[in-house]
Amino acid sequence: MKEVPAKIEHNNTWVVVKIGVGEDRIALPEPVNKEILFKTVSDVAERKNVLIITVKTDTEVVYKILSVEKVLAVIKKLILGSCNAYRLMAYFMSPAIKGGVMIKDAQWEKGSVVVVHSGIWFVSATKQICVPVMEVAAIELTKREVQNKPTDVVRINHLESGEVVSSFVLCPLSTLQVLYNFLKETTKGMDMKGTELDGVDQQVAMLIYSGMDSHAIENMLNLPHKQLDSIYDKILNLGIAEVVTIRREVQLTTKGVRYISDATKSQTN
């Protein structure tokens, strides 16, 4: 085993250690003192240089490892190649489109698609990209121009910093259909019946999607402020929107009225 520098979380405290990394396992030293076989890993996620590994044997345990990107890249590659996941050899382009605009220099890469509980990973010799399942906005079986020929691909749209980002997966059609069905099943928790919002509610949701703020929506749909707030409450309760800015309505206190009155007098004198 090779030893690499890292920190591991133990009892809500980060401890500096050296982790042993082998072909089929990693060894976490004291105070954790645990060997983790990659085949027992059921989920892998990463947040700001913290690798979150879920191991499922008789019980389910989560381990958190903090290190530099180079170290984490090695560990991720080994885990994603052997963990308990849906795995498919394919070509992928990720990210391909951002905010409706094709990303410059986006190209097809040969690698694998690895689907774990919390994310869809695109893995190649040089990339390890994860699309969180909770951020997936749409999955469709469509066509894409590949070498000047319309070709069947799976398109995955997800949200990243408020923008829609698209990735594509390319493999034989029979396998592609299996992948599409599996991804639809994996992300079905994001689906809605389609009857939760009425016509005006849907218009508001569409205008939010287009980037309009509250004031512009009120003017566009001629909605009273209180009605728009009621619609916002509905879509917030459905989990299809989140609060980014709280707009406050205020009225002056007696002290405020006195200040304005004095200010007005001083301007007229």
Side-chain angles (χ1 to χ4, degrees):
M1 279 191 172
K2 292 184 179 179
E3 289 191 334
V4 295
K7 291 182 180 180
I8 53 177
E9 188 182 58
H10 181 69
N11 293 336
N12 296 320
T13 301
W14 288 103
V15 182
V16 178
V17 295
K18 285 191 176 180
I19 294 175
V21 180
E23 290 298 318
D24 66 343
R25 69 192 68 197
I26 56 174
L28 305 181
E30 294 288 356
V32 175
N33 194 27
K34 180 73 175 180
E35 273 198 350
I36 299 173
L37 294 173
F38 297 148
K39 66 181 181 180
T40 65
V41 175
S42 61
D43 197 23
V44 188
E46 185 179 18
R47 299 188 188 96
K48 296 182 179 179
N49 282 3
V50 176
L51 191 61
I52 304 168
I53 303 169
T54 302
V55 177
K56 190 171 184 179
T57 51
D58 295 334
T59 59
E60 190 172 88
V61 184
V62 177
Y63 299 94
K64 294 182 180 180
I65 301 171
L66 171 64
S67 191
V68 297
E69 178 56 36
K70 186 176 181 180
V71 169
L72 294 185
V74 172
I75 297 175
K76 283 186 292 183
K77 184 176 182 180
L78 291 169
I79 292 177
L80 290 169
S82 303
C83 67
N84 184 11
Y86 176 87
R87 191 175 290 100
L88 170 71
M89 300 303 294
Y91 287 89
F92 66 84
M93 186 186 295
S94 180
I97 300 172
K98 187 172 185 178
V101 179
M102 187 71 186
I103 294 177
K104 187 179 180 181
D105 300 328
Q107 57 185 356
W108 291 102
E109 296 196 47
K110 185 178 182 180
S112 58
V113 179
V114 182
V115 185
V116 291
H117 177 72
S118 66
I120 303 166
W121 286 85
F122 299 104
V123 184
S124 70
T126 58
K127 282 187 177 181
Q128 297 165 338
I129 298 170
C130 183
V131 174
V133 167
M134 294 302 294
E135 299 296 334
V136 173
I139 296 173
E140 62 175 326
L141 192 57
T142 184
K143 290 189 181 291
R144 180 82 179 168
E145 197 80 14
V146 180
Q147 296 181 344
N148 299 319
K149 180 182 177 182
T151 306
D152 292 296
V153 298
V154 166
R155 176 173 179 159
I156 303 170
N157 291 346
H158 74 281
L159 289 184
E160 185 178 289
S161 301
E163 286 191 297
V164 177
V165 177
S166 300
S167 302
F168 297 104
V169 180
L170 170 64
C171 59
L173 181 57
S174 57
T175 308
L176 204 64
Q177 185 68 58
V178 173
L179 173 65
Y180 170 76
N181 292 338
F182 185 84
L183 292 178
K184 290 290 286 185
E185 179 67 22
T186 300
T187 59
K188 70 177 182 180
M190 303 293 288
D191 292 341
M192 296 176 64
K193 296 177 182 178
T195 58
E196 294 85 354
L197 300 178
D198 63 24
V200 177
D201 300 338
Q202 290 180 13
Q203 284 181 292
V204 170
M206 287 294 294
L207 293 176
I208 294 171
Y209 179 70
S210 70
M212 281 193 180
D213 60 19
S214 299
H215 183 67
I217 293 173
E218 287 172 357
N219 289 337
M220 174 71 73
L221 300 181
N222 194 25
L223 289 177
H225 172 60
K226 287 187 178 180
Q227 184 180 351
L228 182 60
D229 272 355
S230 177
I231 295 172
Y232 278 1
D233 285 340
K234 183 184 293 186
I235 64 177
L236 286 169
N237 289 334
L238 287 170
I240 62 175
E242 59 186 359
V243 177
V244 292
T245 303
I246 299 177
R247 184 178 64 172
R248 292 181 292 182
E249 298 293 342
V250 301
Q251 66 179 17
L252 292 181
T253 62
T254 303
K255 184 176 181 179
V257 172
R258 180 170 178 170
Y259 169 79
I260 294 298
S261 298
D262 290 344
T264 303
K265 290 177 184 177
S266 65
Q267 290 173 4
T268 58
N269 291 336

